[in-house]
Amino acid sequence: MTAAPALELWGVRKEFGGQVAVDGVDLEVPEGSFFALLGPSGCGKTTTLRMVAGLEQPTAGAVSIGGRDVTGTPAHRRPVNTVFQSYALFPHLSVLQNVEFGLRRQRVPDARARALAGLQTVRLAHLADRRPAQLSGGQQQRIALARAIVNNPSVLLLDEPLGALDLALRRAMQLELKRIQAEAGLTFVHVTHDQEEAMTMADTVAVMNAGRIEQLGPPAELYELPRTPFVATFLGRSNLVAGTVVEGSGGVLGVEVAGARLQVPADRSAVSDGPVLLGVRPEKVRLSAQGEPPPSGSNVLGPGTVTDVSFTGVSTAYQVDLGALGVHEVFAQNTTGAPTSRPGDTVHLAWDVDFTFGLVPDAAAAS
Amino acid sequence: MSLTMALVSPAQGADGGASEEVAARRRGRTGVGLLLPGAIYLVAFFAVPVLALLATSLYAPVPGGDVGQYLPALRWENYAAALGKFWPELLRSFWFALLATVAALVVGYPVAYVIAVRARGHRLLQGVLLVLVVAPFFTSFILRTIAWKQVLADDAFVVASLRWLHVLPDDGRLTATAFAVVAGLAYNFLPFMILPVYASLERLDVRMIEAGGDLYAGPFTTFRTVTLPLSMPGVVSGTLLTFIPAAGDYVSASLLGNPTTTTMIGQVIDSRFFRVLDYPTAAALSVVLMVVIALLVTAYVRRTGTEDLL
C-alpha cells in the first residue's frame, strides 16, 4: 500500500469577477518531494498556492492534503504553512516569538525549545531576541522559513521566497533551501517565475501558463522534451521551425520545412501528421561551414548568415539568420579556445535527429 | 548621521570636517529659528497662564473683603479644602471619562477596521465613510449635545423603544442620568477615537492577517495576537484623545445630566470660577485635574509600551 500523496488538486478553478485565474488544474505532489510551480507572472501559480493554503477558495474543484479533502477548510485548520513572498513576519514580535507563533497556537508543549531548534536549522539562533526590522532581507527570509518549518507541515508552500534577494544571496539560499528540505524531509511546493531556480531546486516542475499546467515532470525531462511551444520557449531557449509531416515509418517522422527535409523521432513528436513545429535546443546545434558534409543522422538547415557572435566565457552564442525561417541561436562550448565563425560567415545548422522535438503549432509561438 | 560622518570623514580629511561643523551650526540656527514662533506662542498662551493658575490656586481671601477679592499668598490648604469638598466630582469625572473611552473604543474600533481593512482598495467607499465619521464636526459641539437631549427625552423614540423592549422599566428615563452623560461624552469624542485607530489599521499589511491564519490562529486569535497589537499605537492615541478631554468636559454633564448625581469636575471648576467667584478653589481643582491626567497618561503609555507617542 502506498501512502496518499502529500497534496492533490482535482480540477481546481478560480475566477475573480469573471476573470479566470486558474483554469482546471490537476496535480499530485508525492510526499517528501520538492515541487515547483513555474510560470510567468499572472499565470495563476500564486493563486493556486493560495488555494492550497486556504487563503482563497476555489470556484470549482477540490484540494486534498495527505489524503484528506480540505476544500472548505479555513487556512488555520490546514496542516500547511507558507513562506510569503514579502515574508510577512510580525513586526511587533521578536524573532523567537515569530518562530514560536504557530507552535503556540497549536499548544505544542515544548514550543520554545522547538522554535530555538528551528532557528538553529536556519543558523540564526543568535538573533532570537531581535525584531524582524533589525534583520537583513536574507535573514528575514530564513526566519520566515524557520517560522513555517517548525510546525512540521504536511506541505510547505513557498511563494517566490527568493524574489526579493540579490543574485548571490539567491544562489546561496537555493542551496540552503534544498539542504533544509532534504534534512527535514518535508514536502515543498515552490512557486517561482525563475526557470533556473525551479530547475536547480525542484525534483518535479509544473510549468503553468494562462491558468493551466502545460507540462509536468522532472526538470531534465521538461528541458529535453518540451511538449508545448510555451514550455519550449519559457523553460530555456529553443529554435523552432514550422513544417508539415510528410511521411512516417520506422519510428521516425519525415517533415518538410521550407523545402528541406528534416526528421524527428515519432515518440518525441506531439503530432504524427499535418502541421508540426520542430524544435531543438541551441546547445545541441552545431555550425558547419559551407561545403562541409553534415554528419549522418543529422537534421540540417541553411544556408544562413551569422549575424552576431557573443562570447560568454564557457560558451559562445551565435545568432544565425536563416531568412524565411527566422533567426536561430547556437550555443557552442568553448573547447577550442576561439570562436569558429565570425559575423557574415555563411553556415549551415546541423543537429542530431534524436535531439529534435515536435510540437503542436500554436499561433503565439509560431511567430 | 554618525555613520555618514564615519564614512565621509577619512576621505575628506580635516577640511571636510570643518565645513561639516559649519553646516551643522547653520542647521542648528535654522532649527532654533523654526522653533521660535511656536515657542513664543506657547510661553505667552500656555506657560504664563499655567503659572498664573498655580499662583491663583494659592491665593488667600482679602480679610474682611468682598466676595471674589483675593491676595497673593501661599495658602496650601486651598488644595486640601478643594479636594475635601469636591473629591466625589473629581473621581466621577475620571470614572465617566473611562466609561466613555471604553464605549468609544468598542464602537469606534470596528468602524475604523471596516474602513481601513475591509474597504481597502475601494477608495470611494473609504472616502465616503471617513467623511461620515468627521461629518458631526460640521455642527457645533453644543448643538449636537442639545440634539442628544432631544433624542434621549422621555417622549422620544429611544426611551419608548427601550421601555417596549423592557430594557427600561415603564417609568424609566434616560435624560438627566449618568448613562446620558457617558453616552454624550462617548458620542462627542468618537471621531477622535476612530481616526487614529483608522490611521494605524490603514498601514496594517493584510498579509499579517493571512500569516496569522496560515500559522493556525483562528480569526479571533489572529485579531488578539496580530491585528490588535499592531494597531496599539492608534488605540493608545485614540483613547488619550478621548479620555483627556472627556475628563475635563462639562458640556455633556451640564446638558444631559442632573445637578446632584452626574456633576463632573469641569462643572465645578466652571461654577467656582464664574458663579461663586472662588478663584483659588477653581484653580486648585484645575491643577489637580492636570496633574492627575498627566500621571495617568504617563502610566498608561508606559504600560502599553508606546512611549514613542509622547
Side-chain angles (χ1 to χ4, degrees):
Chain A
M1 191 193 123
T2 53
L7 173 67
E8 282 170 288
L9 303 186
W10 293 294
V12 167
R13 184 181 172 83
K14 179 69 182 177
E15 291 170 24
F16 291 106
Q19 286 276 89
V20 180
V22 176
D23 189 5
V25 162
D26 294 291
L27 266 188
E28 191 171 299
V29 178
E31 177 97 45
S33 64
F34 199 133
F35 190 94
L37 264 179
L38 172 69
S41 60
C43 73
K45 59 191 191 297
T46 294
T47 306
T48 306
L49 192 81
R50 289 171 60 83
M51 287 190 284
V52 175
L55 300 171
E56 305 279 358
Q57 280 303 315
T59 314
V63 179
S64 153
I65 294 166
R68 190 165 66 90
D69 189 324
V70 294
T71 312
T73 310
H76 66 279
R77 298 220 181 86
R78 293 191 187 197
V80 297
N81 291 105
T82 309
V83 177
F84 291 85
Q85 185 171 13
S86 55
Y87 317 138
L89 295 174
F90 302 124
H92 59 295
L93 300 179
S94 73
V95 163
L96 183 64
Q97 288 170 323
N98 263 282
V99 178
E100 262 181 304
F101 191 93
L103 298 169
R104 289 239 179 270
R105 301 288 86 76
Q106 297 177 100
R107 306 193 189 286
V108 169
D110 51 349
R112 173 135 307 184
R114 279 179 60 178
L116 276 169
L119 280 176
Q120 256 142 21
T121 310
V122 298
R123 300 178 178 140
L124 288 179
H126 58 291
L127 299 178
D129 298 325
R130 300 271 188 92
R131 290 290 167 110
Q134 297 169 297
L135 307 183
S136 71
Q139 289 169 335
Q140 291 186 27
Q141 209 283 326
R142 279 144 80 188
I143 299 304
L145 183 65
R147 185 176 72 170
I149 58 171
V150 289
N151 302 297
N152 203 20
S154 299
V155 181
L156 184 83
L157 306 171
L158 302 113
D159 184 9
E160 303 262 7
L162 310 179
L165 305 180
D166 62 54
L167 193 65
L169 201 52
R170 209 181 313 161
R171 292 282 169 267
M173 276 309 298
Q174 287 177 3
L175 297 176
E176 180 101 352
L177 273 176
K178 272 180 90 163
R179 173 183 70 82
I180 290 168
Q181 194 262 342
E183 274 174 21
L186 296 173
T187 309
F188 277 33
V189 174
H190 179 186
V191 154
T192 181
H193 67 272
D194 182 337
Q195 44 117 350
E196 198 184 328
E197 189 173 297
M199 289 205 282
T200 335
M201 296 205 282
D203 35 51
T204 310
V205 176
V207 181
M208 266 190 99
N209 183 36
R212 293 175 160 279
I213 290 183
E214 295 252 340
Q215 192 177 346
L216 185 154
E221 191 183 305
L222 292 191
Y223 185 80
E224 297 302 341
L225 187 55
R227 284 307 195 175
T228 71
F230 179 82
V231 175
T233 50
F234 187 76
L235 195 78
R237 307 167 83 102
S238 292
N239 294 317
L240 299 174
V241 287
T244 312
V245 178
V246 289
E247 77 176 309
S249 65
V252 176
L253 302 177
V255 178
E256 179 158 320
V257 177
R261 175 65 75 88
L262 302 183
Q263 290 182 309
V264 57
D267 58 359
R268 287 178 60 87
S269 179
V271 275
S272 53
D273 68 301
V276 65
L277 200 59
L278 287 189
V280 65
R281 297 294 188 179
E283 76 280 1
K284 306 287 197 300
V285 182
R286 292 181 305 276
L287 293 179
S288 57
Q290 193 78 1
E292 199 179 308
S296 63
S298 287
N299 283 325
V300 181
L301 279 180
T305 312
V306 176
T307 55
D308 187 63
V309 179
S310 341
F311 179 72
T312 62
V314 290
S315 67
T316 304
Y318 300 91
Q319 305 280 326
V320 180
D321 189 348
L322 290 181
L325 292 175
V327 176
H328 289 239
E329 273 187 314
V330 176
F331 295 157
Q333 284 285 314
N334 283 323
T335 46
T336 57
T340 52
S341 297
R342 298 165 189 286
D345 286 1
T346 300
V347 292
H348 282 79
L349 306 187
W351 68 92
D352 202 313
V353 168
D354 290 343
F355 292 139
T356 316
F357 50 84
L359 309 169
V360 181
D362 73 19
S367 60
Chain B
M1 188 58 224
S2 59
L3 182 67
T4 330
M5 287 181 55
L7 287 173
V8 162
S9 49
Q12 286 198 327
D15 247 17
S19 69
E20 185 87 0
E21 248 171 65
V22 172
R25 223 177 299 144
R26 191 174 305 135
R27 269 202 298 278
R29 274 204 298 274
T30 314
V32 171
L34 287 171
L35 281 178
L36 209 56
I40 293 173
Y41 187 90
L42 274 183
V43 167
F45 298 107
F46 179 72
V48 171
V50 166
L51 289 176
L53 188 73
L54 280 172
T56 310
S57 71
L58 300 172
Y59 278 7
V62 174
D66 262 344
V67 173
Q69 282 194 309
Y70 295 93
L71 279 174
L74 284 176
R75 203 161 175 270
W76 295 99
E77 46 286 26
N78 286 348
Y79 279 87
L83 281 177
K85 194 164 175 196
F86 296 111
W87 65 267
E89 284 82 2
L90 193 67
L91 277 185
R92 185 183 295 132
S93 297
F94 291 120
W95 175 235
F96 281 8
L98 179 71
L99 289 176
T101 306
V102 170
L105 182 63
V106 168
V107 174
Y109 196 104
V111 175
Y113 185 87
V114 166
I115 303 175
V117 180
R118 288 302 166 93
R120 191 171 291 184
H122 306 275
R123 299 213 69 98
L124 184 68
L125 180 63
Q126 278 187 315
V128 169
L129 290 172
L130 282 175
V131 167
L132 287 178
V133 168
V134 292
F137 290 136
F138 298 149
T139 318
S140 123
F141 182 74
I142 302 205
L143 272 182
R144 279 183 283 134
T145 311
I146 293 172
W148 262 77
K149 208 171 166 165
Q150 311 291 322
V151 172
L152 299 179
D154 292 346
D155 48 1
F157 75 97
V158 174
V159 170
S161 319
L162 291 176
R163 280 179 186 164
W164 184 76
L165 289 168
H166 297 288
V167 175
L168 273 181
D170 283 345
D171 57 346
R173 52 200 308 244
L174 292 176
T175 11
T177 62
F179 175 84
V181 176
V182 172
L185 287 172
Y187 165 73
N188 274 319
F189 296 108
L190 191 56
F192 296 107
M193 179 66 80
I194 294 176
L195 292 176
V197 175
Y198 161 78
S200 88
L201 283 173
E202 213 262 326
R203 273 177 274 131
L204 176 78
D205 186 345
V206 288
R207 279 167 301 196
M208 296 297 159
I209 301 176
E210 291 186 344
D214 186 66
L215 293 163
Y216 313 106
F220 178 75
T221 313
T222 300
F223 176 78
R224 186 176 58 79
T225 54
V226 178
T227 312
L228 186 62
L230 287 175
S231 60
M232 263 331 262
V235 171
V236 171
S237 29
T239 47
L240 290 179
L241 287 175
T242 306
F243 182 82
I244 298 172
D249 184 77
Y250 59 96
V251 174
S252 289
S254 327
L255 293 175
L256 300 172
N258 64 53
T260 51
T261 62
T262 64
T263 312
M264 290 175 69
I265 199 68
Q267 287 170 282
V268 175
I269 295 171
D270 173 58
S271 73
R272 289 285 120 185
F273 262 123
F274 300 111
R275 279 185 268 281
V276 190
L277 308 185
D278 178 4
Y279 305 130
T281 304
L285 290 173
S286 302
V287 171
V288 169
L289 184 65
M290 275 195 290
V291 170
V292 173
I293 286 178
L295 292 176
L296 285 176
V297 166
T298 312
Y300 175 60
V301 170
R302 282 263 168 83
R303 178 85 184 72
T304 52
T306 42
E307 281 94 341
D308 42 329
L309 280 176
L310 284 186

